[in-house]
Amino acid sequence: MSPELTAMDTDHRLDRLRTEFDSEGVDALLVTRPINIRWLCGFTGSNGRLLVTRDTARLVTDARYTEQAAAELLAAEVAVELDIVAGDGGQAVSDFLKVNRPTGIEARHATVSEHRSWQEQSSQLVATEGLVEKLRQLKDDGEIARLRRASEIADVAFATTVPFLVERPTERRFGAELDHQMRLAGADDLSFESIVGSGPNGAKPHARPTDRVIEPTDLVVLDFGAKVDGYGSDMTRTVLAGGAQGTEPSKRQADLYDAVAAAQRAGVAVVADGVAEVEVDAACRQVLADRGLAEAFTHGTGHGIGLEIHEQPILSTRSVGILRAGLVVTVEPGAYLPGFGGVRVEDSVVVTGSGCEPITHSPKGLVPEFTASTTERTPPNGDDHE
Ligand code: ZN
Ligand code: ZN
């Protein structure tokens, strides 16, 4: 926990969930996905069942978690009863299901054997899909504060680590340094294994660091993030490895970078409350298509971030949702040319009524210019949206 950060509104989440019960056709919900249990009541243990009715909630876990669960429920200030049981809590779940009422289960996360056993207890199981995940899209001030802090940590690590690129490190060595600097700057954990794609490896959007030596003339795609209280940041910058020592990009490198950077600005510029998610994707795609790079943009434009690094909403050509103020999403177009390399630029932004506010602030450009204000909170692109 980070007591100096704005508190999260965990205690309101169960009520938000209950307001969905009518439309889901349930009177109770059996929550089994650990990350959803964490979001609803603060419990971070690996073994838990959250039994939610219209007016009660009970966390069932085992004796290993007696102290931790009590402390986490107290810290979250939630009205959740704690039930310490032996084993997996099968009896408590069975008692819950045997009450004669429609009870939702998290269909995507139940195993076949759990489902079989639950069906023996209740004839009124209702499969729900992404119910808690849908609620998790909207972030409260405490969650946004954690995502901001995590993003600041990544900004600091980027500024500290990029100068090291001129020393021709291997991708693996550079990735380790980036991870190390995030931990030194206060990360509880990393959002995911940092992506370091140099030269031709940059053409793979999810390049894992290899033993390839990074040459001064390489473009390097760096995609990484830090976690604070479970909330993970996400940012990508593409740089010219030797830029700080005067290496100049080739025309092809510079053109590719300019196209992606323009696409990313175009995407960020349309993000606002009430805008269709698909419009953000279309804005990025149009800029790249205009420069003959439609085929080079091989993935979706963005995704929500939070307790999971890829969560709802997903911004792509298939998106059907509408952005709402309080969502935190990434905008990350890229262009990948096999054998040559790739460019991706990614910021995480908080959707607001009039536009959006970036929470990743690292300088952009093939040769990023670091100033004393690099990690300050002023949004570098804020004037796009005023
Ligand atoms: Zn990323
Ligand atoms: Zn991302």
Side-chain angles (χ1 to χ4, degrees):
M1 293 294 289
S2 295
E4 76 276 21
L5 293 172
T6 307
M8 293 190 283
D9 282 335
T10 312
D11 54 330
H12 288 113
R13 295 176 189 164
L14 281 166
D15 284 334
R16 284 181 59 202
L17 176 63
R18 289 177 178 121
T19 63
E20 301 289 323
F21 277 13
D22 283 341
S23 58
E24 295 286 330
V26 301
D27 279 326
L29 183 70
L30 169 59
V31 186
T32 51
R33 191 178 186 208
I35 210 154
N36 289 340
I37 294 173
R38 175 178 189 161
W39 186 77
L40 285 165
C41 74
F43 176 62
T44 62
S46 62
N47 176 28
R49 305 274 187 240
L50 188 61
L51 317 179
V52 185
T53 70
R54 288 187 184 272
D55 47 19
T56 66
R58 172 183 292 258
L59 174 66
V60 181
T61 184
D62 66 78
R64 289 173 300 166
Y65 292 116
T66 306
E67 278 186 50
Q68 177 186 327
E72 288 175 338
L73 294 180
L74 188 68
E77 299 178 343
V78 287
V80 174
E81 226 178 295
L82 180 57
D83 198 357
I84 301 295
V85 298
D88 65 358
Q91 187 59 47
V93 171
S94 160
D95 293 345
F96 178 72
L97 292 176
K98 277 177 177 159
V99 178
N100 193 27
R101 65 189 163 203
T103 301
I105 58 169
E106 297 185 287
R108 283 184 210 165
H109 303 285
T111 64
V112 172
S113 70
E114 280 173 333
H115 189 231
R116 190 176 294 144
S117 131
W118 296 341
Q119 274 184 317
E120 288 166 12
Q121 322 290 335
S122 169
S123 58
Q124 297 197 63
L125 293 184
V126 177
T128 69
E129 299 256 357
L131 177 53
V132 181
E133 286 81 354
K134 181 177 74 180
L135 299 173
R136 280 175 33 207
Q137 290 189 32
L138 187 66
K139 304 299 187 292
D140 64 42
D141 290 347
E143 293 178 291
I144 291 172
R146 280 151 184 78
L147 290 168
R148 276 184 197 283
R149 175 63 58 83
S151 300
E152 284 167 9
I153 289 168
D155 284 335
V156 169
F158 181 70
T160 325
T161 314
V162 158
F164 176 48
L165 278 174
V166 301
E167 294 177 30
R168 302 177 76 250
T170 65
E171 292 174 347
R172 201 186 298 273
R173 177 71 184 80
F174 186 81
E177 187 63 25
L178 193 54
D179 296 351
H180 183 57
Q181 292 298 333
M182 282 193 278
R183 291 188 191 278
L184 287 180
D188 298 335
D189 199 352
L190 307 176
S191 296
F192 50 88
E193 183 186 10
S194 297
I195 292 170
V196 180
S198 67
N201 291 346
K204 292 176 275 185
H206 278 191
R208 301 184 66 177
T210 69
D211 287 322
R212 183 180 185 280
V213 170
I214 300 175
E215 300 294 345
T217 53
D218 286 342
L219 294 184
V220 190
V221 179
L222 302 168
D223 187 351
F224 55 101
K227 272 192 184 182
V228 171
D229 281 353
Y231 287 81
S233 70
D234 193 6
M235 174 173 74
T236 308
R237 292 291 182 264
T238 301
V239 299
L240 179 66
Q245 276 187 338
T247 305
E248 296 279 343
S250 69
K251 177 158 189 328
R252 194 179 183 199
Q253 287 175 326
D255 287 349
L256 190 63
Y257 186 88
D258 287 349
V260 173
Q264 203 264 349
R265 285 193 300 273
V268 170
V270 300
V271 172
D273 180 80
V275 169
E277 291 158 8
V278 72
E279 284 185 39
V280 182
D281 183 85
C284 294
R285 230 164 268 286
Q286 186 62 52
V287 172
L288 290 169
D290 289 347
R291 304 198 189 198
L293 290 166
E295 305 291 313
F297 181 18
T298 50
H299 53 73
T301 285
H303 54 86
I305 58 171
L307 286 173
E308 285 180 284
I309 195 58
H310 291 118
E311 55 179 58
Q312 297 295 322
I314 304 300
L315 310 183
S316 75
T317 53
R318 297 187 304 276
S319 297
V320 293
I322 305 291
L323 292 172
R324 291 295 170 211
L327 268 61
V328 184
V329 298
T330 69
V331 180
E332 51 177 305
Y336 310 93
L337 304 177
F340 177 74
V343 172
R344 180 164 65 256
V345 177
E346 172 182 30
D347 282 313
S348 298
V349 305
V350 181
V351 183
T352 65
S354 58
C356 68
E357 188 188 339
I359 59 172
T360 43
H361 296 319
S362 289
K364 299 193 181 91
L366 282 176
V367 187
E369 289 180 31
F370 295 99
T371 64
S373 65
T374 291
T375 59
E376 282 178 10
R377 283 165 177 251
T378 314
N381 297 332
D383 53 353
D384 289 351
H385 316 293
E386 298 304 312

